Amino acid sequence: PNADFGYSYNYDYEDDAIDRALQECRRYSSACELKQTFRNVCVSVAKASNGAMGWSWGFGRGQDDRNALQTCRENRGPDCHL
């Protein structure tokens, strides 16, 4: 898995938010693609030094953090952090 990602928030239009998130990702990777869009929800993202990552949303911050870390570890992340 590749931990390069981009995000954006507080945009009035979804297309603008997508453009910004992809622009951020492309600073680090040429293999960026849209995975998901969100509205009025918190998202937790965990990543590791070897490129493993995990993310979660919609369960509440504590559970989202745990789910993101667990998914990162399942993706063979040795040192996952939020």
Side-chain angles (χ1 to χ4, degrees), residues 2-3 22 24 26 33 39 48-50 62 66 69 73 75:
N2 189 336
L22 290 173
E24 289 295 314
R26 288 182 184 128
E33 61 183 66
R39 183 178 183 98
S49 60
N50 68 345
R66 289 188 292 276
L69 287 166
R73 291 183 195 113
N75 287 327

Side-chain angles (χ1 to χ4, degrees), residues 38-49:
F38 304 94
R39 183 178 183 98
N40 297 327
V41 67
C42 293
V43 178
S44 295
V45 178
K47 63 180 182 174
S49 60

Side-chain angles (χ1 to χ4, degrees), residues 6-46:
Y7 63 91
S8 62
Y9 55 93
N10 292 337
Y11 278 80
D12 291 330
Y13 301 101
E14 184 177 48
D15 288 343
D16 292 340
I18 291 168
D19 288 345
R20 176 58 188 262
L22 290 173
Q23 178 184 28
E24 289 295 314
C25 180
R26 288 182 184 128
R27 292 173 52 198
Y28 308 101
S29 176
S30 62
C32 298
E33 61 183 66
L34 178 66
K35 296 289 187 184
Q36 184 73 39
T37 61
F38 304 94
R39 183 178 183 98
N40 297 327
V41 67
C42 293
V43 178
S44 295
V45 178

